[in-house]
Amino acid sequence: MAMDMATIQSIVGLLLLMLLLILIIVLLACKPWRFFYSSYCRNQSIKDDLEKPLFPNDLNLSSTQGNDLASVVVGSSVQNEGHRSMVVSRERNLLADSYPSQGASLVLDVITDSSEDFLAGRTLKRSSVPNWPAEVQKHVMKDEPFDSPRAFGDIRCHVFAQKVAEFQGSCLTLEVISGPSCGLHCSLLSTNISRLPLTLGRVPPSDLILKDSEVSGKHALINWNLNKLKWELTDMGSLNGTHLNSRAVHHPDSGRRQWSEPIEIASGDIITLGTTSKILVHITPPESQIPFSVGIASDPMALRRGGKKLPMEDVCYFQWPLPEVEQFGLFGIFDGHGGVGAAKTASKTLPKMIANLLSISDKREKVLSQCDASEVLREAFFHTEAAMNHQYEGCTATVLLVWVDHHEDFFAQCANVGDSACVLNFGEKQVTMTEDHRVISSSEKARLRSTGRPIRDDETRLCGLNIARMLGDKFLKEQESRFSSEPHVSQCVHIPKGSKAFALMASDGLWDVISTRKAVQLVLQAREKFSSDQETLAERVANFVLNEARTLRTKDNTSVIFLDFDIKRTNCL
């Protein structure tokens, strides 16, 4: 019995020894003390970053020396400031915004209250000291050292804003062309420093919010590089990456949630966030700023029986000035059917045709002297139809050509095929600039009657379509000669300065539920409601009109372009 007890005690001791060895091995493998050490280091890093000056005394440090600087996440647009809390003071934040150049600018550590799992004080990226223009360096060094608290005040920010404005930038416009948020637009000037950088993501405080489950909370940002005078795209450590023209720009090890290096973007580039949302980049030089205010709003609001939204087939277009035609600009809406392909083709081809014709000096001078561009518009539609090779897709086309004379008065003339419409209002006068080409309209019934093959009173469609004029649809036009691509061209309208004139263009999704008279009343109501915010008034008006169509349950894709000739344009859309 004594032997049995001794054996049991030996076994128990051996088991305890084995458990102790296992515990030691686990501790050595997991190293739990490293968490306490990293927490201490992180807190010490925050303390050190806050105590050191934001800028070194010597602006001409080499790039290697500059790596000791705190790295940057510059603020987003003004309206989103409440969603972020900066580790550093408000004054320093303002200075960082004054020179928003990703990859060549100082960036401040941030704490964000969004769904992203960034840690407080975490350094997201380290950048070299910016190579600012010598003129700016001289101005700042002459007045204050960079580590002076007063150097970060409102006066300094105002000076920096003036210096940035001297280096002319460009206007960036982003258009979502695929994905759940297709049709969204977002634009700004590189000199509008308070709204840079532009952040892209799924949730606030992103400036361009994409309702797409494939897009991270904060996915990417676009910034203006002051050194290169170029727009650049940076992936913010997204979960599923960012692509530019089908090439990945995100960090190779995306699981580590690191920022990518900034990559230059150009007009015509396609940015893909995740797998479904694609964004078209449009960049215009500063001299291309539209001399009046413009707002654009689009929404794919039509629902199928299953409750799913129809694909967005509207394409909006604007450009001022047209290439090599300084006095002219063009605005248009192209509403596709059978797909968006014909609308995209027409939105590229028709403006090019108009610009080519107006670049001919004789034609341009004739338009300016006679105040009539009807010949140019008709010829452009003819060449566009001939160039399109869409057999089973077609689109409406409504374009408003605007030009300015030496008195700074505007002239506008419209051409259209289909059922998108444009109305011009100045003073108490309304001018409908388009003609309705639906089969049931009186004007189109009269045209069809003139062909010798009138449509019956009970007919509402021709070969399944409710419109008789469009671009494309080559197969249908071969089967039915009554289809036409001949545009209606309006009279030229003179818009004198101070007339408080505006133009409203929209696809049929709006006009199906709102009359032109009601639309004008909505614009006047929105103008008064948002009059205190002149900078974004046009955009607010466009969205106000669009929301009314949504309230009235329109069943078609809807796009709205609002031109306010009474407000001189000072920044992008």
Side-chain angles (χ1 to χ4, degrees), residues 338-477:
V340 74
K344 287 183 175 179
T345 300
S347 68
K348 295 176 182 178
T349 307
L350 185 55
K352 187 183 298 183
M353 295 296 180
I354 293 174
N356 289 343
L357 291 169
L358 289 174
S359 64
I360 301 172
S361 58
D362 291 343
K363 290 183 179 291
R364 183 174 63 255
E365 291 304 320
K366 185 177 179 181
V367 171
L368 294 173
S369 61
Q370 298 183 4
C371 296
D372 184 11
S374 56
E375 182 180 324
V376 167
L377 291 170
R378 286 193 176 92
E379 189 174 348
F381 268 78
F382 174 80
H383 290 307
T384 300
E385 172 69 10
M388 293 181 66
N389 190 29
H390 292 272
Q391 296 295 314
Y392 305 104
E393 291 183 353
C395 68
T396 70
T398 299
V399 293
L400 184 68
L401 182 67
V402 181
W403 64 93
V404 61
D405 67 4
H406 62 282
H407 297 298
E408 296 187 0
D409 286 349
F410 293 107
F411 295 83
Q413 197 163 8
C414 191
N416 82 292
V417 291
D419 52 2
S420 296
C422 173
V423 59
L424 183 66
N425 184 89
F426 52 95
E428 304 248 341
K429 187 177 181 181
Q430 296 176 23
V431 180
T432 301
M433 305 288 284
T434 49
E435 187 177 81
D436 186 1
H437 295 149
R438 287 178 295 176
V439 173
I440 61 174
S441 69
S442 57
S443 59
E444 203 57 19
K445 280 186 175 181
R447 185 188 69 82
L448 294 173
R449 195 178 302 116
S450 67
T451 65
R453 297 169 58 202
I455 195 166
R456 297 194 310 270
D457 291 338
D458 59 342
E459 284 185 290
T460 60
R461 292 180 178 269
L462 191 61
C463 294
L465 292 181
N466 68 338
I467 55 174
R469 297 198 217 185
M470 65 286 200
L471 297 176
D473 280 325
K474 296 298 180 72
F475 176 79
L476 284 180
K477 287 173 180 174

Side-chain angles (χ1 to χ4, degrees), residues 170-198:
S170 61
C171 178
L172 171 76
T173 300
L174 303 178
E175 178 188 1
V176 183
I177 59 175
S178 73
S181 298
C182 183
L184 282 180
H185 290 76
C186 183
S187 303
L188 76 161
L189 276 177
S190 57
T191 51
N192 192 347
I193 58 177
S194 66
R195 296 189 62 188
L196 285 168
L198 181 71

Side-chain angles (χ1 to χ4, degrees), residues 109-305:
D109 291 329
V110 313
I111 304 172
T112 177
D113 58 2
S114 71
S115 59
E116 293 295 300
D117 56 349
F118 294 135
L119 297 174
R122 174 181 173 185
T123 297
L124 301 179
K125 190 177 188 304
R126 293 192 178 273
S127 308
S128 61
V129 179
N131 182 22
W132 291 341
E135 184 182 3
V136 178
Q137 295 183 20
K138 179 180 178 182
H139 180 91
V140 176
M141 293 302 292
K142 179 179 68 175
D143 288 354
E144 300 263 352
F146 269 118
D147 56 356
S148 168
R150 200 162 68 85
F152 301 102
D154 292 339
I155 296 177
R156 173 65 64 244
C157 292
H158 179 68
V159 171
F160 270 72
Q162 287 182 329
K163 292 298 177 182
V164 174
E166 291 177 8
F167 298 91
Q168 291 296 325
S170 61
C171 178
L172 171 76
T173 300
L174 303 178
E175 178 188 1
V176 183
I177 59 175
S178 73
S181 298
C182 183
L184 282 180
H185 290 76
C186 183
S187 303
L188 76 161
L189 276 177
S190 57
T191 51
N192 192 347
I193 58 177
S194 66
R195 296 189 62 188
L196 285 168
L198 181 71
T199 53
L200 318 176
R202 190 179 70 251
V203 298
S206 298
D207 299 297
L208 185 62
I209 298 177
L210 304 172
K211 298 178 181 178
D212 188 344
S213 60
E214 295 296 317
V215 176
S216 302
K218 287 188 301 184
H219 201 106
L221 64 79
I222 295 178
N223 214 347
W224 174 252
N225 189 314
L226 182 63
N227 293 335
K228 300 178 182 178
L229 301 182
K230 298 291 185 182
W231 292 97
E232 293 180 337
L233 171 70
T234 302
D235 180 83
M236 299 172 68
S238 62
L239 290 171
N240 48 7
T242 303
H243 291 75
L244 181 64
N245 300 327
S246 301
R247 296 184 62 183
V249 299
H250 55 275
H251 194 280
D253 187 5
S254 60
R256 295 175 63 186
R257 305 301 299 274
Q258 293 187 10
W259 281 33
S260 71
E261 290 298 320
I263 183 171
E264 182 181 327
I265 58 177
S267 191
D269 284 349
I270 302 293
I271 300 171
T272 304
L273 305 183
T275 58
T276 55
S277 288
K278 297 183 184 295
I279 302 172
L280 174 65
V281 177
H282 184 69
I283 298 174
T284 54
E287 61 271 14
S288 299
Q289 295 176 36
I290 306 172
F292 44 83
S293 189
V294 179
I296 298 178
S298 297
D299 191 3
M301 290 186 282
L303 297 177
R304 295 184 187 274
R305 289 183 179 179

